[in-house]
Amino acid sequence: MDIDLNTTTVRTANATLRALPPGATARLTNPAGRHNLAVGLTEEITVEIDGTAGYYVGGLSKNATVLVHGTTGWGAGENLMSGLIRVDGDASQSLAASAHGGTIVVHGDASLRAGISLKGATVLVAGNVGDHCGFMAQAGTILVGGDAGRGLGDSLYEAVIYVAGRIKDLGADARVEELAESDVELVARLAKQHGFDHIDPENVTRVASARQLYHWGTP
């Protein structure tokens, strides 16, 4: 089914999506950068957004597949619990903020603070990420197919970041670690699954926590 956002409000469109049964598909046309599209979904449905989405697309959802045929604004996939969000273009700030599960894939670049406070999701960006990617990321995996900006992994906890390109600098308590065979296998599987053919799994940089901020020290 098609839902034309020029004739339907976002609230009504989201209510219609949430009422769909498992296995259903829907397409949102004329999104025109509207915010909060396809949020709060709970069933295994597929939603295609035919153009640019605004803030928080696919947020607070589980089980669903959301395919954005364009770019997205802030907070795409915020607090995602499970399912898949795929963005064909670029993503703005705070991609996958606090996402607990599922997979968020961006086939372009992502701006500042991608994966901020990540809590278990898998985040893949084919291109570059801006400053402070993985800031306070507590669990999960981030794979960057291009370059990373300043402060990568600042205050990182148990999440792991893989970068195929250059890293401008690391944030507090982040460090580069040697790749294990399990890392290579994971990166290879993710790259193949999501069409990131430009990544060489044996030549990525693994960034993880140095664990110096886990406990307060004494002077």
Side-chain angles (χ1 to χ4, degrees):
M1 65 180 296
D2 285 1
I3 302 173
D4 187 348
L5 291 165
N6 279 345
T7 59
T8 306
T9 66
V10 170
R11 182 185 295 271
T12 299
N14 283 334
T16 300
L17 294 176
R18 288 193 285 269
L20 293 175
T25 62
R27 184 168 68 114
L28 302 181
T29 62
N30 298 308
R34 290 177 173 88
H35 306 318
N36 307 315
L37 298 177
V39 300
L41 305 179
T42 60
E43 301 294 343
E44 291 185 1
I45 64 173
T46 299
V47 179
E48 296 196 52
I49 299 175
D50 195 14
T52 295
Y55 298 172
Y56 307 119
V57 61
L60 296 167
S61 294
K62 60 183 181 180
N63 298 321
T65 296
V66 178
L67 308 175
V68 183
H69 303 306
T71 60
T72 66
W74 286 28
E78 183 182 51
N79 276 298
L80 186 72
M81 302 304 291
S82 63
L84 170 69
I85 297 175
R86 191 191 74 202
V87 180
D88 291 341
D90 299 329
S92 189
Q93 300 183 31
S94 303
L95 173 74
S98 298
H100 290 249
T103 303
I104 298 128
V105 184
V106 173
H107 282 278
D109 299 328
S111 188
L112 308 175
R113 297 184 292 276
I116 181 174
S117 193
L118 193 70
K119 292 181 172 64
T122 300
V123 181
L124 300 96
V125 178
N128 304 325
V129 295
D131 296 348
H132 305 297
C133 174
F135 175 57
M136 293 188 70
Q138 296 159 35
T141 302
I142 300 173
L143 173 59
V144 179
D147 300 334
R150 294 184 175 86
L152 179 70
D154 192 277
S155 303
L156 192 66
Y157 286 83
E158 296 298 328
V160 176
I161 305 171
Y162 301 100
V163 181
R166 296 169 296 176
I167 299 171
K168 195 136 196 181
D169 63 48
L170 298 177
D173 209 36
R175 69 180 181 186
V176 172
E177 297 184 340
E178 185 175 351
L179 279 179
E181 186 61 34
S182 58
D183 295 308
V184 175
E185 291 173 357
L186 173 61
V187 171
R189 177 173 59 81
L190 291 174
K192 182 178 180 180
Q193 184 176 359
H194 297 284
F196 285 17
D197 299 334
H198 60 298
I199 293 178
D200 178 357
E202 295 186 351
N203 285 292
V204 298
T205 302
R206 173 190 164 103
V207 175
S209 175
R211 300 173 181 252
Q212 298 301 307
L213 296 180
Y214 275 41
H215 307 284
W216 291 105
T218 55

